[in-house]
């Protein structure tokens, strides 16, 4: 996926995974009760800091904090822009 957004410094652009539609036991979750997803895919990365290069790359699936990043809409698609330090793990 070619994204024309280029984050600055140690920031990354993440496409959040869709919220769960139903529980493991098969119960459907209404839209009002769905939780914000905490995993996503990196679609763009910045250049990093001079003394700290970025460790994530485009295509990595990641886990991040519940309230991490800033939500943006670009060309009809929802993205999050966050610092690399808000990322907890690469899956």
């Amino acid at each position: 996926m070619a994204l024309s957004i280029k984050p600055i410094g140690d920031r990354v652009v993440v496409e959040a995974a869709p919220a769960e539609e139903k529980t493991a036991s098969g119960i459907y979750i209404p839209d009002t009760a769905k939780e914000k997803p905490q995993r996503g895919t990196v679609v763009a990365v910045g250049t990093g800091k001079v003394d700290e290069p970025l460790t994530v790359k485009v295509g990595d699936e990641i886990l991040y904090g519940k309230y991490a990043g800033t939500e943006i809409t670009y060309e009809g698609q929802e993205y999050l822009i966050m610092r690399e330090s808000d990322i907890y793990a690469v899956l």
Side-chain angles (χ1 to χ4, degrees):
M1 168 187 224
L3 187 66
S4 61
I5 297 175
K6 183 66 178 168
I8 297 173
D10 65 338
R11 289 181 172 81
V12 297
V13 179
V14 176
E15 183 175 2
E20 294 292 322
E21 296 289 324
K22 63 180 180 175
T23 64
S25 61
I27 299 172
Y28 285 94
I29 302 170
D31 289 336
T32 56
K34 289 181 184 173
E35 289 192 23
K36 187 175 166 184
Q38 291 179 281
R39 76 188 300 170
T41 305
V42 176
V43 293
V45 295
T47 56
K49 294 181 180 178
V50 176
D51 54 342
E52 293 180 35
L54 291 176
T55 57
V56 296
K57 60 188 180 303
V58 174
D60 283 350
E61 190 162 333
I62 60 166
L63 293 176
Y64 52 87
K66 189 169 198 134
Y67 302 105
T70 302
E71 295 178 355
I72 62 165
T73 302
Y74 182 73
E75 295 181 352
Q77 184 70 27
E78 297 284 329
Y79 297 103
L80 287 166
I81 296 180
M82 65 181 68
R83 292 188 182 275
E84 186 186 33
S85 61
D86 291 336
I87 297 172
Y88 295 148
V90 176
L91 302 176

